[in-house]
Amino acid sequence: MFAQQMEPIQGMNATKPPLLYRILGTVIAVLMLAGFAITLIGAGCGVGPLGLLLVAGSFDAWGLEMVTGWVGYGATILSMFGPPSKMRRMWAGIGLAGLAASFCFFLRQAHGIDFTLITGSVFLVSWTIRLLLFVLSFRRTSISLIST
């Protein structure tokens, strides 16, 4: 009954989001990756950005954090390119989960958690927006499929 009352959405294809939506998603993803890289963490004898720890950190001390961070980075980058598909959504979800897990693992070892959260605010806000866009992409597809 609900599907019969809805009118079809004009000019919107369930498989191809509008160009503005894709540009917005890409910009937010780049902000999220940059925000993660520049987040400062106070641990041990000093302070350093997470991006530097991903590249030059000791695998013995930061192994789990590094692996989940690289998985998040790789999956997010894969999700930004290529035609819209279920595979892109899968990569976006893996990227969001990997970066969130890595951030939490880094936060677990931080001595100045408040400092890390403040310097990670760009990452946290852009991650939240990217998560909302991710959820809305499923909702938009569901609405488009119901209305046809």
Side-chain angles (χ1 to χ4, degrees):
M1 182 172 181
F2 179 73
Q4 294 172 355
Q5 294 174 353
M6 289 185 61
E7 295 180 18
I9 299 172
Q10 299 298 321
M12 184 171 230
N13 188 347
T15 60
K16 186 175 182 186
L19 182 62
L20 181 62
Y21 185 80
R22 287 203 56 192
I23 291 172
L24 177 66
T26 302
V27 168
I28 296 297
V30 169
L31 269 172
M32 180 180 68
L33 294 175
F36 184 85
I38 64 171
T39 297
L40 297 175
I41 182 172
C45 298
V47 175
L50 295 184
L52 181 63
L53 282 174
L54 285 181
V55 175
S58 166
F59 196 78
D60 293 335
W62 304 99
L64 180 62
E65 294 84 351
M66 291 169 67
V67 169
T68 55
W70 280 115
V71 166
Y73 258 83
T76 300
I77 290 170
L78 284 173
S79 75
M80 290 190 295
F81 301 108
S85 65
K86 290 180 183 178
M87 197 64 130
R88 264 185 76 190
R89 282 197 198 141
M90 181 195 69
W91 287 121
I94 292 171
L96 285 166
L99 287 173
S102 181
F103 187 81
C104 290
F105 293 150
F106 274 118
L107 200 60
R108 181 187 63 185
Q109 292 196 22
H111 290 115
I113 293 176
D114 300 344
F115 176 73
T116 304
L117 287 173
I118 290 169
T119 60
S121 60
V122 172
F123 167 72
L124 294 171
V125 169
S126 58
W127 185 88
T128 304
I129 294 171
R130 179 88 169 150
L131 179 65
L132 288 172
L133 292 174
F134 178 70
V135 170
L136 288 175
S137 72
F138 285 103
R139 182 181 166 106
R140 188 184 67 244
T141 302
S142 300
I143 290 172
S144 298
L145 292 176
I146 290 172
S147 65
T148 57

